[in-house]
Each structure stands twice: as C-alpha cells, then as structure tokens.
Amino acid sequence: MKDTYATSEDILLTLIEPDINTMIKEKYGKQMKWEVSKVLKVGLIVDHTKKESEFWYNVKLAVRLENEKDDSNGN
C-alpha cells in the first residue's frame, strides 16, 4: 500500500462530486464534464434547536462546464 497526498480541497471535492453531478444532470438533462474553478465559501452550520445538535456544511463553488462544441482545432 502506498500513501498519497491529497489537499483539503481534493477531499472536499471527492465528497461532494456526486451531488454536483446530480445538480448538473437535473439542470442540463445530461451528465457533463466539469471542473471547479474556485471554492468561494465553506461554512459550518450547527442547529442547536434539537435535542441532539445537527450540523452540516454550506459550500459555494464556481464550477466551469466543458463546452461540448469545442474541439481540438480550437473551434
């Protein structure tokens, strides 16, 4: 087994990749290749109003979709 290095951003993106794919498919009706151009905000939200507190992360990303019309000739 070999250890590999991953940044915090790599780990975050691996965790939320399925959700991003779902959002893109819902919006455009198909799977598309994408890349994150920037992580804009990551916030921890904690709900203490319940007997056992719940928490989640609120993430805001800038995502760039691959343009299917682009080809290797630059057109």
Side-chain angles (χ1 to χ4, degrees):
M1 181 182 272
K2 183 178 178 181
D3 287 342
T4 58
Y5 176 79
T7 66
S8 303
E9 189 171 302
D10 293 333
I11 295 166
L12 173 66
L13 293 176
T14 299
L15 292 171
I16 64 174
E17 181 177 7
D19 294 323
I20 294 172
N21 287 332
T22 299
M23 287 184 253
I24 290 171
K25 188 169 185 177
E26 287 174 0
K27 182 167 183 165
Y28 297 99
K30 61 183 176 178
Q31 288 297 114
M32 298 176 73
K33 291 184 180 182
W34 56 271
E35 66 180 33
V36 172
S37 56
K38 189 171 186 179
V39 176
L40 302 169
K41 182 179 180 180
V42 178
L44 175 63
I45 311 299
V46 182
D47 182 355
H48 294 294
T49 63
K50 301 181 180 179
K51 183 176 181 180
E52 204 168 310
S53 294
E54 295 180 358
F55 68 93
W56 61 92
Y57 292 93
N58 188 2
V59 179
K60 186 172 184 177
L61 305 169
V63 176
R64 183 179 310 130
L65 299 175
E66 182 178 282
N67 185 347
E68 293 182 347
K69 294 181 182 179
D70 287 346
D71 62 27
S72 60
N73 296 325
N75 297 326

